[in-house]
Amino acid sequence: METAQLIAILDTEGQLLATAAEEAGTETKVPTCPGWQVRDLVRHTGMVHRWATAFVAERHTSYHPDEGLPDLDGTELMTWFREGHRRLVDTLAGAPADVDCWSFLPAPSPLAFWARRQAHETTVHRYDAESALGGTPSPIAVDFAIDGIDELLFGFHARKKSAVRTEVPRVLRVRAEDTDAVWTVRLSPEPPISERGELADADCELMGPAADLYLSLWNRRPFSGVTGDPALATLWRETSAITWSGPARR
């Protein structure tokens, strides 16, 4: 996806997150993030927004720590979140295409990386905020969901720290039923190797609309459809979480 598209999605998703959080109230539990209340979700996402902004705005070319979580709640917290989100959007939109700064997943450029990563970060957490509010969540476009699955499989889970592994080689298929996107994920004692296409017989297939798969692979909802060995779907749910732990997360 184009960087400008991703920045526009980031803009919309951050506003939706804030609206849902305000309507739900900061003390409300977040069903998709066990142990969190809305205040935890907003503090975390706002911290990540400021952390990402600093790399682009201040041109950090090596890892730079975040500023920690704010001791804010209620209206003050929501104002802080909205201000940080707006600064992130404006920083990305105003940055030169060749801006040089640190990033941690493959991308055409650092700017393309940060726009993509923050668009997906914010979308997943917007879904979390809306889960606390209840009702029907805002839709996720097919092309954006596919891009997010690509980022997760070819980015996060191509790294050495991915825990999605099997002692005996297995093949996991991921199929978006509302488009022609298919991924083959080869599991072994090493990090997963993902490829686009139906390139090997699968031991298990995860299927559903692209948006559902996107949320399921981020462990936000059960898989819509599973065929073959369900143990591989369970393996994904139990080992694929991406958690925030500073440099170790990266």
Side-chain angles (χ1 to χ4, degrees):
M1 296 184 69
E2 296 295 326
T3 297
Q5 291 177 279
L6 293 165
I7 295 171
I9 291 169
L10 167 62
D11 191 356
T12 298
E13 293 289 337
Q15 293 181 57
L16 289 171
L17 190 161
T19 297
E22 287 170 338
E23 291 183 15
T26 59
E27 295 184 358
T28 303
K29 293 181 179 180
V30 181
T32 51
C33 299
W36 271 17
Q37 294 175 304
V38 168
R39 67 168 63 89
D40 302 305
L41 176 67
V42 175
R43 288 170 180 170
H44 167 78
T45 311
M47 175 272 290
V48 174
H49 284 173
R50 283 167 165 73
W51 178 76
T53 298
F55 286 105
V56 180
E58 300 170 22
R59 309 298 200 262
H60 296 298
T61 55
S62 60
Y63 177 82
H64 188 75
D66 63 80
E67 297 179 355
L69 301 175
D71 186 19
L72 298 173
D73 204 351
T75 301
E76 289 184 344
L77 175 60
M78 297 312 307
T79 298
W80 172 86
F81 174 84
R82 287 184 181 275
E83 289 174 350
H85 170 249
R86 177 46 47 199
R87 182 161 184 249
L88 172 60
V89 171
D90 291 346
T91 296
L92 293 173
D98 62 352
V99 62
D100 183 22
C101 64
W102 181 81
S103 58
F104 61 87
L105 294 178
S109 69
L111 181 61
F113 163 79
W114 284 112
R116 182 194 210 190
R117 177 79 293 275
Q118 291 309 300
H120 290 295
E121 177 91 10
T122 306
T123 298
V124 171
H125 288 318
R126 180 272 296 167
Y127 183 83
D128 293 331
E130 291 184 344
S131 77
L133 180 61
T136 302
S138 302
I140 296 172
V142 170
D143 60 342
F144 182 69
I146 291 171
D147 182 77
I149 296 171
D150 278 343
E151 185 202 41
L152 191 59
L153 296 180
F154 296 118
F156 281 107
H157 287 290
R159 302 179 304 168
K160 292 181 180 179
K161 56 176 58 68
S162 175
V164 185
R165 304 183 185 214
T166 56
E167 292 185 9
V168 176
R170 308 294 299 279
V171 174
L172 180 66
R173 177 101 66 240
V174 178
R175 185 186 304 277
E177 295 177 319
D178 50 352
T179 181
D180 60 359
V182 179
W183 296 261
T184 297
V185 184
R186 301 176 190 273
L187 304 177
S188 73
E190 300 300 318
I193 297 174
S194 298
E195 303 169 275
R196 273 292 196 102
E198 201 164 338
L199 303 177
D201 292 337
D203 297 293
C204 175
E205 181 166 307
L206 310 175
M207 65 196 79
D212 289 358
L213 281 174
Y214 171 74
L215 293 168
S216 298
L217 290 167
W218 274 105
N219 293 309
R220 263 38 189 203
R221 54 174 298 160
F223 288 108
S224 299
V226 178
T227 61
D229 185 357
L232 294 185
T234 300
L235 175 74
W236 184 274
R237 286 194 300 270
E238 293 180 348
T239 64
S240 67
I242 308 296
T243 59
W244 181 270
S245 55
R249 179 177 184 266
R250 305 301 164 198

